[in-house]
Structure formats: C-alpha cells, structure tokens
Amino acid sequence: MAVPSKLLKPVSLTKVASRYLIHQDSLPKLPVPELRQTCQRYLAVLEPLVSDEELEHTRTLVADFMVPGGVGERLQKGLERRARKMDNWLSDWWLQSAYLEFRMPVVVYSSPGVVLPRAEFQDRQGQMRYAAKLIAGVLDFKTKIDNGTLPVEYMVGKPLCMNQYYQILSSCRIPGPKRDMVVNHSLGKAPPTHVTVVHNYQFFVLDVYNSDGTPLTVDQIYMQLEKIWNSSLQTNKEPIGILTSQHRNTWGKAYANLIKDKTNKESVRAIQKSIFIVCLDAPMPRASDEMYRSRVAVQMLHGGGSRWNSGNRWFDKTLQFIIGEDGSCGLIYEHAPAEGPPIMSLVDHVVEYTKKSEMVRSPMIPLPMPQKLRFNITPETKKDIEKAKQNMNILVQDLEMKVIVFSHFGKNVPKSYKMSPDAFIQIALQLAYFRMYHVCCSTYESASLRMFRLGRTDTIRSTSMDSLRFAQAMDDPTKTVGALPALLSTLFLSLPWCIQAIRGQAIDRHLLGLKLQAIEDLTSMPEIFMDTSYAVALHYSLSTSQVSAKTDCVMCYGPVVPDGYGVCYNSMQEHINFSVSAFNSCAETNAAKLARGLEEALLDMRALLEQTPKAKL
C-alpha cells in the first residue's frame, strides 16, 4: 500500500533502525521569527530594489500591518499556534505551494539536472557496463538508507535532519487536474525491488534483488541490460514518456485518459513504484570540447527535444540517471521530495562506487527476461503525445544554457583571505549583473533549514545596499586605492544573511507563512501582500544555488522568471563549475554574456584582494 502526499511524514519504525527516529526527535522545531524583525528586514531588502516613492508607500503598509492588536499580530499568533501543533509549521505548506500546486512543466522550470564527469567509454558495451555499476552503486547507498546507517550530517556543528534521504528512492510525483501529489512506495508493506530502464522510448522492469534479498551483482545487471538493449532496437516507438514534460494541468488530463486502459495503468504503476529510472540515451549531436558540458546540461535537463532523448524519460520520477552512448552521463531529479544536498551525497557515493573494480563472482543462475512495459496508444493519447512533442521542442529552442569551468582559482583564494567562498561568488554575481544592467535585482540563494526537523529551504538575500555600493564603486574611477579596504569589507555582508537564514530567521518563508495563514483564516488579504514592492521582492531575476559535491560536477536548472537567470555552482579547491541559464525569448537576457561577466568579476575581485594588504582586510 503506497503512502500518498504526506511525503514529509517521518518514516515508520518498521522501515529504519530506531536510531534514525531518535535523531529526528532530538532536532529542534523550525522557529517562527519575530514579526517586527521580519518587517524591518523586509524594508531593508526593498531599499536597493524599489524607488523611494514605492518604498515610502510600503513603509506605511508595513507600519499598518504591525499595529499592536492588528492583522499582522493576529496572523503571527496563528502561525505560532501552528508551530506548536506541528513538527514543522512550514514544510507541508512549502511542499504544496512551491511544488505540487505549481502548474508549469517540471522540465526546466522545476527539476534540476546534474552534469557528471564524462565517463571513459565510447560504445554501447561501455555504456551498459557503466550503467550496471551505477545501478549497483545506488543499491549500495540504498542499503545504508534501509538499515539506518547513513551517518548524520552536520552544518556549523549542528546535526541536520536526514528525512529527505528517505524520500528520494521509490517515490514519484503523480499529476492531478489542479494539484499533484507525491507517493513514496518505500513506506509500504512490500517496498519495490525493481528499477525502470528506458531505451528507445521503451520501458522495462529490471528486478535488481535476488529472492533472498541480496542485490544482483554488476555482471548480472550487465547481462540483464544487454537483454533489454537487444529487445528494444526499434526506433519508431511512440515516446510515451514525453507526456510527463507537459504543463501539469494538461498532463493531468492526459494522465487520466492514459490510465483508463488497464494495461497502461499497470505499466505506469510499475514506473511509479520503481526504485529509480535509468535512461539509456541515444547519441546526441556532437559538440566541441568547449560546448560539451553545456550540451550535456541540456541533455540532462530536457533530453534535447523530441528528435533526441526527451521521450526517453519519465519526468515525474524523483530520480532518473541518464547515460549516453558517448560517455555523457548525469541525472535529473523531480524537486518536490528533496533539495540538492542529499542528491549530491548519493551522487558522490555512486561515482566513487563506479570507480571500484568488481571482485564479486556472479552466480551462473540464468535470470528471467526483464519485463517490457506495454502501452495501448489511443488516437487521443497519440494527439497528446504530438502536442507534448511540439511544446517540448519550443521549450528546447527557448532555453539557453551555458556551463563553464572557471579555472583561474577555486575556493582556495577567498579562503586564503579568510572569506567565505560562497559570499565571494555571490558578490561577484551582483557585480556581473550590475555591469550588464546598471541596476541590481532581487536575488535568491537557497539556504538549508535542515538544522530543524523536516526542514527544507529559505532564502539568502544577496542583494543589499552594501552590495549595490560595492558594484557601483568597483567601476568608479574616482575611487582611490585607499578606499579599497572599506569596499572589501562589504564582501562579508552577505554572511549575516546566510547565518540568519540557516537559523530560521530569514524573511521569505515567514512572509509566505503569514500570507498562507491569512488564506487559511479566510480573512481579506493584507495590503502588504498586494503591494507592488512584494511582487518586486519575489521577482528573482537571479535564482542561485551553491550545490557542493566532492565529485567534479555541476547542477543546472532554468530561470524562475521569464526575464531572469538560473545560476548554480560547485566550488572545487582550484576551480569553480558554473551553470548559467536564460530564455532566448527574452531579448534582455544572455546567459553566455552573464557567464563571461561573472568570470571577469571574479578576476577583478581577486585583483582587488591582491592590491590590498591582508592586514587591512
């Protein structure tokens, strides 16, 4: 029996050693920040973003909102009551509002991709071998999850919530007409024992455990993948998986039609229940060495369009590993169950596992042929597929993606000046954006709330009056060398925002909570949330995330607004991997130009550091 939608419920005792639950119970609850503090910080956030006139208007609205005994205080008390009753006052609201009620396609707009280092193979045997090792590596990680032996992670000395690890395998998003849900099959009485393999748009059930519960060896998995490959050579099959790339309401309707047929319903259910998906991709168009990572990034994000691999996916599945015939590999994950860090921890484990030489001798017992999943395509579903192909191809043409390796330095340089590498990169981004547009913009950087039970994320606001002054001064010829130390000190100013955010004291989720509390109380919407300043604050022209990994890889995703950028980075010791995305349909944005500007900003900031005696920093 599957457990729907309450994805964020802690897993049951029968599934995991009680050590995990004892750890979870020891974590503090997410606090509700003080109302006056959030309102004051909100006004500070707006200062570099809106005109003086707009700011004055918002100050009046905020003052009205904070009147003792007024609407703000009433909503705050409602939130505090909610926080006392629940494990986490935010997590369920966030799951619904940020993901399950979000109706744009998950492709590009929500699901991140990960570009892994190019694998050392150039043919299908190499592809199969690598896929077999990868599957075995994920199963090895799954064992740690299943028996509760995953080491607890820490951040600034505090233990973190590990719940997201128990949500990423055997889970799947299911479309609805107006709202989706997520089902986690690992919580049922008979957890899944198969993965889904897709090749040439054809889906297969691959059982990965023996009857005694031991996982198949790499050799056994390889032989099963060979069977799958050889029985899916036809390239003229309907790309049923491309339906999952549609607008969620459109897919919700098409899904209801698709599963009216019993065979289709069983096939879809097998995909949804599987531990994860492995996509064996057809070769993509060749790219130069310089463009290779950018090409792989779009292969991971959307598959390249209907002519290539976009139909070789089931985008609702939480985890899909993608392995191309040319050595390109990576993954895409559906964002509702988890953030990047647990995914990257799994990636680090799997990449290390694939490097190990295989010592286990495989038993010679013949294994049954993996089951091919059948679909009956009605004229209506055929029409839905054609529409999905068209929309996917439009989206593919619209997305500009640039992946760069900044090779001049990595986190070594900021650290040598006792600076946070993340703060350094965020200020460089502010500088690059300001140089392009001569204004600053609302910037989102994801901050983990995993210090708290069932914590997800809040927002680090990198844009401030100090970051604006720094960007203006960097290209101001009137600034003297003597003023540089003062400017440099502004580089630290995003750090307090970061610390506030991970301690549950940021403003964005608190404001969202107050707004959702008003909706729940059926009171009229407070004017503070109807104000244009609030819309400006939430229009993230820079949507950014540092997703660190030991593996030399990079995550990528699309912009969150039509005229914005998606920027993700992984700081290695001596280089930084960046991905920058934008939409071609917006004449004002240019991902390649921002990426170049970011490189220049980083180099200029290093030059600034080198001109300044360390004692003055």
Side-chain angles (χ1 to χ4, degrees):
M1 166 59 188
V3 181
S5 199
K6 287 287 177 191
L7 182 71
L8 294 159
K9 248 173 46 176
V11 289
S12 67
L13 258 172
T14 53
K15 287 296 300 159
V16 185
S18 58
R19 196 177 73 109
Y20 160 77
L21 289 175
I22 292 163
H23 162 70
Q24 287 295 105
D25 287 345
S26 73
L27 293 169
K29 285 185 169 190
L30 179 69
V32 178
E34 198 246 324
L35 182 65
R36 179 168 294 278
Q37 171 187 288
T38 291
C39 289
Q40 286 170 345
R41 287 178 181 171
Y42 173 53
L43 291 170
V45 158
L46 291 174
E47 207 177 332
L49 301 175
V50 300
S51 68
D52 292 347
E53 195 182 347
E54 284 171 311
L55 188 61
E56 209 42 58
H57 175 66
T58 304
R59 279 190 213 281
T60 309
L61 297 183
V62 167
D64 291 347
F65 188 67
M66 286 198 302
V67 166
V71 64
E73 205 171 275
R74 196 172 71 248
L75 295 175
Q76 176 76 359
K77 284 188 172 141
L79 264 192
E80 287 165 355
R81 271 194 306 276
R82 181 181 168 92
R84 282 193 294 274
K85 284 190 304 200
M86 303 181 78
D87 269 345
N88 187 307
W89 65 263
L90 171 65
S91 55
D92 217 43
W93 266 350
W94 182 246
L95 175 68
Q96 298 297 332
S97 63
Y99 299 114
L100 303 183
E101 289 168 4
F102 181 71
R103 305 322 284 157
M104 292 299 279
V106 292
V107 182
V108 173
Y109 295 101
S110 174
S111 297
V114 178
V115 179
L116 291 177
R118 190 173 195 161
E120 299 294 318
F121 60 79
Q122 290 291 324
D123 58 17
R124 82 173 181 83
Q125 275 77 20
Q127 183 185 17
M128 298 295 112
R129 193 89 204 148
Y130 187 85
K133 279 190 162 186
L134 184 144
I135 291 168
V138 180
L139 297 179
D140 189 59
F141 192 81
K142 182 177 180 290
T143 303
K144 294 178 191 288
I145 295 173
D146 290 346
N147 63 21
T149 57
L150 265 185
V152 169
E153 293 169 342
Y154 287 80
M155 182 163 59
V156 293
K158 305 273 188 191
L160 299 183
C161 176
M162 300 296 285
N163 184 59
Q164 289 179 36
Y165 283 98
Y166 297 85
Q167 314 300 342
I168 56 180
L169 297 172
S170 310
S171 58
C172 194
R173 185 162 168 161
I174 295 172
K178 295 202 172 141
R179 170 193 288 193
D180 295 354
M181 64 183 213
V182 175
V183 175
N184 187 342
H185 292 277
S186 66
L187 307 186
K189 288 199 176 81
T193 55
H194 69 281
V195 302
T196 299
V197 178
V198 53
H199 175 237
N200 281 336
Y201 313 152
Q202 295 157 73
F203 291 82
F204 292 80
V205 169
L206 171 59
D207 287 307
V208 287
Y209 290 95
N210 295 300
S211 53
D212 63 358
T214 56
L216 299 190
T217 64
V218 171
D219 281 344
Q220 286 176 309
I221 296 168
Y222 174 79
M223 287 188 286
Q224 295 299 80
L225 290 174
E226 278 283 329
K227 291 177 194 170
I228 287 171
W229 179 281
N230 290 324
S231 56
S232 55
L233 296 173
Q234 317 91 308
T235 54
N236 59 347
K237 295 293 181 181
E238 285 292 346
I240 193 84
I242 207 163
L243 291 172
T244 62
S245 69
Q246 280 280 51
H247 185 282
R248 301 309 294 175
N249 291 358
T250 309
W251 169 220
K253 279 186 209 140
Y255 177 81
N257 279 328
L258 181 70
I259 63 168
K260 280 177 190 166
D261 178 280
K262 186 168 176 285
T263 301
N264 294 350
K265 189 173 186 174
E266 285 171 2
S267 293
V268 167
R269 181 124 172 100
I271 295 168
Q272 291 167 341
K273 280 188 74 170
S274 60
I275 303 166
F276 59 97
I277 292 180
V278 174
C279 309
L280 300 174
D281 271 11
M284 292 279 287
R286 284 200 170 277
S288 65
D289 285 351
E290 191 199 346
M291 292 303 296
Y292 175 76
R293 284 183 183 84
S294 302
R295 199 273 286 153
V296 178
V298 296
Q299 182 181 355
M300 299 308 137
L301 268 188
H302 56 55
S306 65
R307 280 187 56 216
W308 303 99
N309 290 294
S310 296
N312 214 45
R313 306 278 184 274
W314 194 267
F315 287 108
D316 288 356
K317 193 71 186 143
T318 305
L319 261 183
Q320 297 189 92
F321 286 92
I322 299 158
I323 303 159
E325 220 176 296
D326 60 354
S328 57
C329 49
L331 65 127
I332 181 170
Y333 75 96
E334 200 288 301
H335 212 326
E339 269 70 57
I343 304 290
M344 297 318 263
S345 179
L346 167 62
V347 163
D348 282 341
H349 181 90
V350 169
V351 168
E352 279 309 302
Y353 191 94
T354 59
K355 293 174 185 170
K356 290 200 299 196
S357 57
E358 276 306 306
M359 301 304 287
V360 186
R361 287 194 63 81
S362 294
M364 296 312 290
I365 315 152
L367 294 165
M369 174 69 199
Q371 178 202 349
K372 185 174 194 171
L373 297 175
R374 305 284 169 186
F375 287 94
N376 294 321
I377 310 289
T378 62
E380 196 168 1
T381 296
K382 169 85 173 124
K383 211 189 300 177
D384 290 335
I385 289 171
E386 288 309 310
K387 190 70 191 154
K389 282 184 187 177
Q390 287 169 19
N391 288 339
M392 173 55 93
N393 293 340
I394 291 165
L395 185 54
V396 165
Q397 289 304 309
D398 196 16
L399 184 72
E400 182 196 5
M401 174 62 68
K402 187 76 182 161
V403 175
I404 55 166
V405 178
F406 178 79
S407 55
H408 302 276
F409 59 85
K411 50 189 172 190
N412 54 340
V413 164
K415 278 186 164 181
S416 72
Y417 289 89
K418 297 187 169 54
M419 289 181 174
S420 150
D422 183 54
F424 193 85
I425 291 167
Q426 284 291 325
I427 297 289
L429 258 173
Q430 292 294 315
L431 177 57
Y433 189 93
F434 184 83
R435 283 171 167 174
M436 265 180 88
Y437 297 101
H438 310 293
V439 290
C440 58
C441 69
S442 194
T443 304
Y444 180 109
E445 184 189 2
S446 184
S448 174
L449 291 177
R450 285 176 58 211
M451 278 187 196
F452 305 100
R453 204 178 309 166
L454 303 182
R456 294 294 301 256
T457 60
D458 208 324
T459 309
I460 299 168
R461 293 270 185 174
S462 311
T463 309
S464 64
M465 285 306 294
D466 287 305
S467 72
L468 173 59
R469 281 192 279 266
F470 174 76
Q472 288 168 330
M474 271 298 278
D475 294 333
D476 185 345
T478 65
K479 292 288 173 199
T480 62
V481 173
L484 293 180
L487 292 180
L488 276 172
S489 69
T490 66
L491 292 173
F492 292 103
L493 290 169
S494 65
L495 273 177
W497 287 100
C498 174
I499 299 299
Q500 287 161 13
I502 62 176
R503 289 186 176 153
Q505 298 298 318
I507 65 166
D508 281 72
R509 303 297 184 262
H510 186 202
L511 289 171
L512 174 70
L514 293 165
K515 183 182 175 184
L516 293 175
Q517 189 66 47
I519 293 168
E520 201 156 279
D521 292 351
L522 301 173
T523 57
S524 59
M525 186 55 67
E527 281 190 59
I528 185 177
F529 300 120
M530 312 289 276
D531 181 28
T532 53
S533 291
Y534 189 60
V536 170
L538 294 183
H539 190 90
Y540 298 114
S541 295
L542 281 175
S543 172
T544 76
S545 188
Q546 172 180 239
V547 182
S548 301
K550 293 176 190 149
T551 305
D552 192 6
C553 60
V554 68
M555 193 173 273
C556 51
Y557 46 77
V560 297
V561 293
D563 57 346
Y565 296 92
V567 182
C568 198
Y569 49 95
N570 179 15
S571 305
M572 308 300 284
Q573 193 56 29
E574 294 185 357
H575 67 276
I576 309 167
N577 299 326
F578 284 103
S579 66
V580 182
S581 66
F583 290 119
N584 290 316
S585 52
C586 176
E588 284 74 47
T589 54
N590 184 322
K593 190 174 176 186
L594 182 66
R596 281 196 304 275
L598 180 55
E599 291 192 274
E600 286 166 16
L602 286 164
L603 290 170
D604 288 348
M605 283 167 58
R606 181 179 67 176
L608 188 59
L609 290 174
E610 286 169 347
Q611 289 168 26
T612 310
K614 286 193 181 183
K616 292 198 175 182
L617 289 173

